[in-house]
Amino acid sequence: MSKISAGRLDVLKLGVSMGALALAITMAGAASAQTAPAQADDSAVEEVVVTGFRASLANALDTKRRENDMIDVIKATDIADFPDLNLAESLQRIPGVSIDRDGGEGRTITVRGLNADFTVVRLNGLEALATTGGKDGSGGANRSRQFDFSIFASELFNSVTVRKSTSASNEEGSLGAIIDLQAARPFDFNKFTMSAGAKYGWNDLSRKSDPRYTFLIANTWNDGKFGALLSVAYAKRQTLEEGSSTGRWENPSVRFNSSTAFPCTGAAYNPVSGPPLTCSQIGTVVGGTSPTVVAAAGTANNLWHPRIPRYGRLEYNQKRLGVTGSLQWRPTDNSTLTLDTLFADFTNDRDETYLEIISFSRSGQGLPQTDVVNFTADAKGHLIKGTFDDVDARVEYRHDDLNTEFFQNVLTYDTKIGDKGKFVATYGQARSIQNNPVQTTFSFDRYNSDGYSYDYSADPRRPSFNYGFDATNPANYQYSNSSALGDPSLLRLRPSKAVNTFKTLRFDFDYQVMDWLKVRTGAAFKEYGFNSSEKRIFSRVIPGGTGFVAEAAFPLPAGVTVADVSRLITGFGRGLDMPAGTPTSWIAPDLDKLKAAIGYDCNCINANGDFRLSSINQLGALREIAENDTSYYLQGDFDRDFGSIPVRGNVGVRWVKTEQDALGHFNTGSTTVSTVTPVGTLSQTVPTDGIQTTSRSYTNTLPSMNVSVQPLENFFVRFAAAKVMTRPQLQNLTPGFTANSQSAQTLTRGNPDLNPMLSNNIDLGFEWYPDRETLFSIGLFQKDIKSFIQTTAVAMPFSETGLPTSLLTNGNTPDTLFTVTSQQNTKGGKLKGYEISLQRPFTFLPAPFDGFGGIVNYTHVKSDIEYVIANPTFGGTPRVQLTPATLITQPLLNLSPEAYNGTLYYEKAGFKARISASYRDPYLIQVAPSATNNNDVRIKQKTLNVDSQVSYEFKNFTITLEGINLTDQFDSKVDDSTRQISEEYVHFGRQYYLGVKYKF
């Protein structure tokens, strides 16, 4: 991936320059501070009074300095007012944290190069999991342990803590970081508090207005012994995503292509838009998707072409409601009972429409029937420009109703035991229901269209398309239920649902056995549950074919035409700077009209077809996992002077037992049925459901240590070491299988016997606090990842798969060795890096410039993991390994080698302003050539996001103007580490908010 590093030197120079400038400012401020009277202790420092964003930074530093673990903190700038509108957007301001966006807003995070799979998120002190859906190119529906931050309004929380090192008292499960999200409580306020706010948003691409509302009320009674708090946040957001995509690139002469090859002779090759080319120009390939004879270099059949060249628009219609409630009671001066409640309802309906060429990605009537009229190759081996006849064009429209409902209750009782002891008991339940009740896709198609051309030569991100027909005329399309000319039109119905539940009971006890030593112990019992399902319509034999076809259209009723069930897409391409002549309008299926015409949403057999939905048609998505985690810990916290040097920290060990029960469904075969309907008797296939259940348990012992040494006043040296674990992702634990060949003796399945991923983590940090509001820190870290989970193949007797022997045919026995492809624990690798952080208010400058301040963070990370890109092969009797696995060394997925962010702010006499920029290097999103048409990797390109906020505060009234994504940063993905050709290039527009807030 050497070319990903292009431009890194300039970025590093910029980061170093910014760091040097900030360090110089820090030194200057510290030098000027030397002339001020020395402050006796921290309590004197605490009396410096600041407000707003600057105050939140100072409070965060206070928390960071006092902690034994290595942490970073973000505090709310005011009541129900977090620094950013999105929690993930705020987290990217922390050193080592980068975010991944979906639909133009932050969804998941990466901490020190480890993606969301390796992160634990706690809400109000207890682990939780909240998931939502996304577009296919961004990972689709979340079925893993990743936490989707986009579900929650940031205004619901008053602090976020990122724990980069761990201690025995912290829950296991994270190789990267533990993220603590804490909502406000009534005892956080010392008097009656009420605040209300409203914001009006505007997006310059969608040209839609978006309201946001917040409200918080809190009070205490009975001399502060009882308190109650309620906060509500509601927002609507309507945005567009527009741009180009290719569905990846493929080469007919390379293995794992999906469409075989262009023709060059016979009836299949009959161009009409120009004279025919020769086979020496087009090339000849033998072997289909696994070629045995490849075409000559430079011919059309030995060049990489786009699979689905297209432009498209996605419309997002979001509604986000969040409610928190908290009741607190002090029955005695030494004890507190707290009930925290959190509810979130996130609706994210999405409409996608594309004008595309589908035949370049299809075999049969697709590419083998497509005529190459002329073409141009570039130096990297792409068919970068060409004209074609007999292509299949398609307009595709997809609608998703997406909703996530999250609910959590946490009851906490803490009490002091005498003068030296403390006991805390916590019980909580959380539930996340991710529902996609409607996922509907229709298409209209045009077969064997002549005169189509594409041109990626000027800018592969903004190609030029000439379709050779009027894309806005419904008469140019058909809604086809036949495969005689190409793929039938789509009728895709895929509703799905996933539920995650957590129940946690935790006890924590600590006792001050000596002035310098506190002993802490505790236990936690967690019950985690996951289940998912998806439904689809039945596959059937359609006209023009003999096999069963899934998700094919039924014919429109007599007298109904495409014009009657279509709509016109207009106004496409604002801000895209597309080549002249590229269509900006096209027709698309109108789902409301189709619903009225054929009643596809009835889940029944009606006069127009069989629209019944059943989970039996998608057995691989029907799965359940129950996980019981039991843990105990013992930890010693110490704080004493060695000579004149204060030393504090903790040493401890955590013992964990994990018990997992998994259930998976699989297809044991199928039966053919004849279904009588008003449109005729349908020959359909009905899968036979098989079920496999597995149970297992394993234990882990996890020692940890954190030490903070203060050799100089306000200067800390920190060291941390820990053994940590992350449990396997849910989708990898599913038993059963997805493919089974008794003749080839091969099996593809999940692996419920996966072991957790383990790592030995070491951290070394240096922190200097010249004053309460200033920090200069350097952090070094290494994660020695002992195991990594990825797909590979092993040979094992069928009896060891756990599947029923009734599946055996073709003379196979339980002792027969099968080649089993599944997720396996493989060799890991080391991840190393460092962070630099500078934070300082410029109080040393003369007025009015002393209101300025700044934050600069820089992170560098490096890792090497050996990925399996081709499985080992097995054969013979008895079966032995014939060829070893093919490996490739690449960085971890989602790891950006360099990332930095900076904020410049100004606060003076009620006026507040800040501008922030966050940059991250390109990073890998997939390393799997067999799944990506033999592009060795897929890469997301570098991003630089700029946001700003300006406000003025009167006595109780604040006016705010915010700008998000001010540069309209494009989201760009490319294929292959060497060729780096565009896969997707989209943008979302700039977002602005004008708001008012009143504090009572």
Side-chain angles (χ1 to χ4, degrees):
M1 215 174 78
S2 59
K3 295 196 176 181
I4 294 182
S5 301
R8 247 185 230 164
L9 183 58
D10 292 337
V11 171
L12 185 57
K13 288 178 179 177
L14 176 59
V16 171
S17 299
M18 294 175 69
L21 175 60
L23 179 59
I25 293 172
T26 302
M27 295 298 189
S32 65
Q34 300 301 318
T35 64
Q39 296 179 349
D41 53 33
D42 281 349
S43 62
V45 176
E46 293 289 339
E47 297 187 11
V48 177
V49 178
V50 293
T51 61
F53 182 67
R54 179 178 163 187
S56 73
L57 296 176
N59 292 334
L61 287 189
D62 285 344
T63 303
K64 177 182 177 71
R65 179 167 48 185
R66 289 194 301 265
E67 278 276 345
N68 288 333
D69 298 356
M70 295 184 180
I71 69 166
D72 285 293
V73 183
I74 303 173
K75 297 283 189 178
T77 60
D78 201 349
I79 302 166
D81 188 8
F82 219 65
D84 295 273
L85 298 176
N86 179 290
L87 283 173
E89 307 285 344
S90 286
L91 282 165
Q92 71 178 337
R93 317 291 181 208
I94 287 177
V97 179
S98 298
I99 69 173
D100 200 11
R101 292 176 173 83
D102 181 42
E105 65 175 356
R107 180 180 176 185
T108 58
I109 67 169
T110 296
V111 182
R112 290 179 164 180
L114 292 172
N115 64 28
D117 289 335
F118 301 94
T119 299
V120 168
V121 177
R122 299 191 297 201
L123 295 177
N124 295 321
L126 294 185
E127 184 177 355
L129 179 60
T131 66
T132 187
K135 69 175 185 178
D136 291 345
S138 297
N142 182 356
R143 294 292 186 266
S144 70
R145 299 182 194 264
Q146 295 186 2
F147 190 93
D148 287 326
F149 288 89
S150 57
I151 293 170
F152 299 95
S154 64
E155 295 92 342
L156 298 176
F157 302 95
N158 67 357
S159 71
V160 175
T161 302
V162 178
R163 298 185 175 276
K164 296 178 180 176
S165 72
T166 193
S167 54
S169 58
N170 284 321
E171 288 153 301
E172 74 289 342
S174 166
L175 263 63
I178 297 174
I179 312 296
D180 279 311
L181 308 178
Q182 182 60 55
R185 291 170 169 169
F187 287 174
D188 295 339
F189 307 95
N190 55 16
K191 61 180 181 179
F192 172 78
T193 302
M194 187 164 68
S195 172
K199 294 179 180 178
Y200 174 85
W202 175 259
N203 184 281
D204 70 349
L205 179 60
S206 67
R207 300 183 179 178
K208 300 287 187 179
S209 58
D210 303 315
R212 293 178 72 101
Y213 306 102
T214 60
F215 175 77
L216 180 144
I217 185 169
N219 200 6
T220 59
W221 300 271
N222 195 17
D223 297 325
K225 292 184 178 180
F226 183 79
L229 177 145
L230 174 70
S231 70
V232 181
Y234 176 79
K236 291 181 65 176
R237 181 172 177 262
Q238 300 175 86
T239 60
L240 293 182
E241 173 183 331
E242 292 189 344
S244 67
S245 59
T246 62
R248 300 183 302 276
W249 294 62
E250 68 175 39
N251 186 325
S253 288
V254 175
R255 190 184 179 201
F256 303 130
N257 73 79
S258 62
S259 55
T260 63
F262 293 108
C264 64
T265 60
Y269 187 60
N270 56 350
V272 297
S273 299
L277 303 180
T278 65
C279 284
S280 62
Q281 294 172 300
I282 296 176
T284 301
V285 178
V286 177
T289 58
S290 298
T292 54
V293 176
V294 302
T299 61
N301 275 326
N302 201 346
L303 295 171
W304 295 83
H305 64 77
R307 295 178 66 251
I308 310 176
R310 63 187 183 182
Y311 278 104
R313 169 187 287 172
L314 283 75
E315 301 177 58
Y316 298 90
N317 188 356
Q318 297 180 348
K319 295 178 182 178
R320 184 183 282 110
L321 171 66
V323 181
T324 70
S326 182
L327 298 174
Q328 288 188 289
W329 176 42
R330 287 195 182 106
T332 71
D333 292 340
N334 293 326
S335 59
T336 304
L337 183 65
T338 302
L339 174 64
D340 293 310
T341 296
L342 172 62
F343 172 78
D345 188 86
F346 179 51
T347 298
N348 186 18
D349 296 343
R350 185 179 67 246
D351 292 272
E352 306 178 35
T353 178
Y354 302 97
L355 174 60
E356 60 197 14
I357 299 300
I358 198 70
S359 49
F360 289 157
S361 63
R362 300 294 192 266
S363 58
Q365 293 292 331
L367 200 71
Q369 299 293 321
T370 300
D371 304 328
V372 181
V373 178
N374 58 65
F375 69 95
T376 301
D378 69 3
K380 293 183 177 181
H382 299 115
L383 202 164
I384 204 72
K385 178 181 179 180
T387 302
F388 309 87
D389 287 341
D390 289 336
V391 300
D392 298 339
R394 168 176 284 180
V395 288
E396 181 178 339
Y397 195 95
R398 169 175 165 176
H399 174 78
D400 283 85
D401 285 345
L402 293 161
N403 175 262
T404 296
E405 183 180 282
F406 180 88
F407 193 82
Q408 183 196 56
N409 283 321
V410 180
L411 182 65
T412 304
Y413 176 73
D414 67 88
T415 184
K416 293 181 180 179
I417 302 175
D419 295 331
K420 296 183 178 181
K422 183 180 180 181
F423 174 75
V424 180
T426 306
Y427 176 75
Q429 295 187 5
R431 181 187 65 217
S432 173
I433 302 175
Q434 178 193 328
N435 198 7
N436 189 179
V438 176
Q439 186 194 113
T440 302
T441 306
F442 278 86
S443 71
F444 299 146
D445 292 85
R446 177 181 174 87
Y447 301 104
N448 299 326
S449 186
D450 296 329
Y452 168 78
S453 66
Y454 71 69
D455 186 355
Y456 286 83
S457 61
D459 185 350
R461 302 170 303 177
R462 300 179 178 89
S464 172
F465 297 144
N466 182 351
Y467 290 90
F469 65 92
D470 182 2
T472 65
N473 186 354
N476 288 324
Y477 303 90
Q478 57 180 295
Y479 185 59
S480 171
N481 69 323
S482 170
S483 59
L485 298 177
D487 277 12
S489 297
L490 288 173
L491 167 59
R492 182 180 293 161
L493 308 175
R494 296 182 177 181
S496 63
K497 186 176 183 178
V499 179
N500 293 276
T501 60
F502 262 108
K503 294 181 181 179
T504 304
L505 176 63
R506 193 177 70 205
F507 302 101
D508 298 279
F509 174 76
D510 62 67
Y511 190 80
Q512 194 79 38
V513 296
M514 300 181 186
D515 290 342
W516 61 272
L517 178 63
K518 179 186 293 184
V519 175
R520 305 178 65 183
T521 187
F525 310 92
K526 291 187 293 184
E527 293 182 8
Y528 170 66
F530 166 79
N531 65 79
S532 69
S533 63
E534 181 178 321
K535 297 179 179 179
R536 298 190 181 184
I537 60 176
F538 291 90
S539 299
R540 70 185 196 277
V541 177
I542 61 174
T546 56
F548 294 101
V549 178
E551 304 176 323
F554 287 98
L556 293 174
V560 177
T561 68
V562 169
D564 298 322
V565 291
S566 61
R567 56 183 290 227
L568 187 64
I569 303 298
T570 61
F572 178 83
R574 282 193 297 269
L576 269 179
D577 194 25
M578 296 185 302
T582 302
T584 60
S585 296
W586 59 86
I587 71 159
D590 187 310
L591 300 191
D592 289 335
K593 294 176 182 178
L594 283 162
K595 192 181 299 183
I598 63 176
Y600 68 83
D601 62 332
C602 71
N603 192 17
C604 68
I605 297 174
N606 65 17
N608 303 299
D610 184 354
F611 303 105
R612 292 174 298 158
L613 292 162
S614 175
S615 58
I616 204 168
N617 295 319
Q618 188 63 7
L619 290 172
L622 197 59
R623 51 183 183 254
E624 299 177 20
I625 292 177
E627 185 176 277
N628 293 311
D629 305 327
T630 303
S631 60
Y632 304 93
Y633 73 89
L634 179 64
Q635 178 176 307
D637 291 8
F638 54 88
D639 186 351
R640 68 178 306 173
D641 293 347
F642 287 85
S644 60
I645 300 177
V647 178
R648 57 185 168 88
N650 56 62
V651 177
V653 63
R654 190 176 189 91
W655 180 86
V656 184
K657 182 178 182 179
T658 303
E659 299 172 280
Q660 291 174 340
D661 297 312
L663 181 149
H665 292 251
F666 55 91
N667 189 341
T668 64
S670 61
T671 58
T672 300
V673 299
S674 296
T675 304
V676 179
T677 75
V679 295
T681 300
L682 305 178
S683 178
Q684 297 177 317
T685 180
V686 179
T688 302
D689 186 8
I691 299 176
Q692 182 181 10
T693 60
T694 62
S695 297
R696 69 168 306 209
S697 66
Y698 53 85
T699 61
N700 297 94
T701 302
L702 308 172
S704 61
M705 176 176 65
N706 290 271
V707 179
S708 175
V709 181
Q710 191 176 350
L712 301 171
E713 185 178 5
N714 297 322
F715 181 76
F716 298 83
V717 178
R718 297 182 185 266
F719 174 79
K723 182 178 181 180
V724 295
M725 63 175 283
T726 289
R727 295 182 177 90
Q729 295 308 301
L730 304 173
Q731 65 271 28
N732 299 335
L733 296 171
T734 304
F737 66 87
T738 57
N740 173 22
S741 173
Q742 291 292 310
S743 58
Q745 297 166 339
T746 60
L747 187 70
T748 302
R749 64 185 291 248
N751 186 359
D753 295 322
L754 284 172
N755 291 316
M757 290 172 282
L758 303 173
S759 177
N760 294 332
N761 292 357
I762 297 176
D763 295 84
L764 179 63
F766 304 90
E767 300 169 6
W768 179 35
Y769 301 86
D771 57 61
R772 179 176 180 265
E773 298 181 72
T774 303
L775 168 67
F776 171 51
S777 67
I778 297 175
L780 311 174
F781 53 89
Q782 175 181 287
K783 301 178 188 295
D784 187 3
I785 302 172
K786 297 300 183 182
S787 63
F788 191 70
I789 295 175
Q790 54 183 316
T791 301
T792 186
V794 295
M796 67 172 62
F798 188 87
S799 60
E800 294 183 10
T801 67
L803 295 170
T805 56
S806 58
L807 295 174
L808 292 169
T809 61
N810 199 43
N812 294 317
T813 72
D815 295 326
T816 302
L817 287 175
F818 273 63
T819 300
V820 179
T821 300
S822 66
Q823 295 285 314
Q824 300 288 337
N825 291 99
T826 61
K827 178 182 175 183
K830 289 186 177 181
L831 181 152
K832 300 178 181 180
Y834 61 87
E835 301 167 347
I836 301 173
S837 180
L838 298 154
Q839 178 175 319
R840 171 102 179 128
F842 303 160
T843 51
F844 53 87
L845 296 176
F849 304 107
D850 57 344
F852 279 105
I855 312 167
V856 177
N857 299 313
Y858 173 79
T859 304
H860 173 85
V861 189
K862 184 179 186 301
S863 76
D864 291 310
I865 294 290
E866 289 187 338
Y867 291 90
V868 178
I869 61 171
N871 289 327
T873 60
F874 298 86
T877 304
R879 180 160 293 215
V880 296
Q881 181 174 306
L882 301 178
T883 61
T886 303
L887 305 177
I888 183 174
T889 300
Q890 293 283 4
L892 278 168
L893 299 182
N894 293 90
L895 182 149
S896 292
E898 262 88 37
Y900 65 80
N901 63 77
T903 298
L904 178 67
Y905 66 87
Y906 183 85
E907 296 192 359
K908 199 78 169 178
F911 177 78
K912 300 179 179 67
R914 67 177 183 268
I915 185 168
S916 301
S918 296
Y919 169 87
R920 69 178 299 188
D921 260 356
Y923 58 92
L924 298 179
I925 53 178
Q926 192 173 17
V927 182
S930 62
T932 59
N933 311 103
N934 233 331
N935 297 279
D936 62 348
V937 297
R938 295 172 61 225
I939 303 165
K940 193 165 185 179
Q941 296 287 66
K942 63 184 180 182
T943 57
L944 176 63
N945 288 83
V946 180
D947 307 319
S948 68
Q949 184 182 100
V950 179
S951 67
Y952 191 84
E953 184 177 356
F954 300 90
K955 183 178 180 181
N956 294 317
F957 184 74
T958 303
I959 300 176
T960 304
L961 176 64
E962 297 169 79
I964 302 169
N965 191 25
L966 293 178
T967 60
D968 192 12
Q969 172 67 56
F970 276 67
D971 191 6
S972 178
K973 298 182 181 75
V974 297
D975 293 338
D976 200 79
S977 61
T978 301
R979 295 181 289 103
Q980 294 202 21
I981 189 68
S982 180
E983 177 186 316
E984 183 180 69
Y985 187 69
V986 297
H987 73 135
F988 312 94
R990 301 167 183 85
Q991 185 78 31
Y992 303 96
Y993 284 97
L994 177 64
V996 295
K997 184 176 183 180
Y998 191 83
K999 292 185 291 184
F1000 298 86

